[in-house]
Amino acid sequence: MDTTFLDGQLLIAMPTMSDPRFARSVIYLCAHSDEGAMGLIINKEASNISFPDLLDKLEIFPDEEMEISAVENFTEIPDVPIYVGGPVETGRGFVLHSADYFAKDSTMAIHNEICLTATLDILKALASGHGPEQAILALGYAGWSPGQLESEIQANGWLHCPADPEVIFSNDQPEKYDRALATLGIDPSHLIADAGHA
């Protein structure tokens, strides 16, 4: 494996990020190769939908006999955070989760016990309490064409660091940006906007 590839790492937007969709974003890179890159923003919560709402919309019930109206009142449904995963295919859901759940042919192991599943089966498993211990759901994803991410990193658009599951799955969404920077020993107030030149 080429060690220059960053799959399984976190991308942290620099203060100079001009694209408002990615300002102060932390992205978990699910795939990175010569063919491009794909990742999920893990710190921008979707404000317009909850996990029970999503189950209702998709007609997924923890119990086959349960009616749609009962989903909202089903107290045992886990509170799975839903994030805006990125601007590409925003109607598509991706579950980033711990490796204690693995579905053959649909779960992709990424790095350090972090997996990705993008099928309805994992939503059913989560709703019924049989899903992974840790999970976040992202709607949409961030994508880069070949060489694009490397160019953006070189232009001082992103920092990257090893992914910490505690940062990925933390419920403290507003703090994820600062916590990701802290893994690099960086205080956000000390970041400067311009890249250094020798």
Side-chain angles (χ1 to χ4, degrees), residues 1 9 41 45 71 88 93 100 103-104 109 130 134 166 174 178 187 196:
M1 180 176 139
Q9 294 220 6
I41 299 173
E45 207 156 356
V71 171
V88 184
D100 52 331
K104 189 180 177 190
H130 302 296
Q134 295 180 298
E166 287 188 21
D178 291 349
D187 180 332

Side-chain angles (χ1 to χ4, degrees), residues 3 5-11 27-30 111 160-163:
T3 55
F5 293 137
L6 305 175
D7 34 342
Q9 294 220 6
L10 293 179
L11 283 182
I27 297 177
Y28 181 79
L29 270 182
C30 301
H111 188 69
H160 59 87
C161 67

Side-chain angles (χ1 to χ4, degrees), residues 30 38-40 51 54 58 60 88-98 101-110 114-126 132 135-141:
C30 301
M38 175 269 184
L40 302 172
F51 189 57
L54 182 66
L58 296 173
I60 296 172
V88 184
E89 291 190 53
T90 55
R92 189 170 172 200
F94 301 86
V95 178
L96 200 60
H97 59 89
S98 50
Y101 174 93
F102 197 91
K104 189 180 177 190
D105 300 326
S106 62
T107 297
M108 179 175 83
I110 300 173
I114 305 293
C115 297
L116 179 72
T117 305
T119 60
L120 290 178
D121 289 340
I122 192 168
L123 298 183
K124 292 175 185 174
L126 284 164
I136 60 172
L137 172 61
L139 298 176
Y141 66 91

Side-chain angles (χ1 to χ4, degrees), residues 46-104:
S47 57
N48 59 340
I49 192 164
S50 69
F51 189 57
D53 290 341
L54 182 66
L55 296 177
D56 191 3
K57 186 175 180 181
L58 296 173
E59 298 185 4
I60 296 172
F61 313 116
D63 182 329
E64 290 298 325
E65 297 173 9
M66 183 177 284
E67 296 190 12
I68 295 174
S69 60
V71 171
E72 292 176 13
N73 301 320
F74 191 68
T75 56
E76 292 178 24
I77 292 179
D79 185 20
V80 179
I82 300 180
Y83 292 90
V84 177
V88 184
E89 291 190 53
T90 55
R92 189 170 172 200
F94 301 86
V95 178
L96 200 60
H97 59 89
S98 50
D100 52 331
Y101 174 93
F102 197 91
K104 189 180 177 190

Side-chain angles (χ1 to χ4, degrees), residues 156-172:
N156 203 35
W158 301 97
L159 291 171
H160 59 87
C161 67
D164 181 347
E166 287 188 21
V167 173
I168 296 169
F169 298 116
S170 165
N171 288 330
D172 195 1

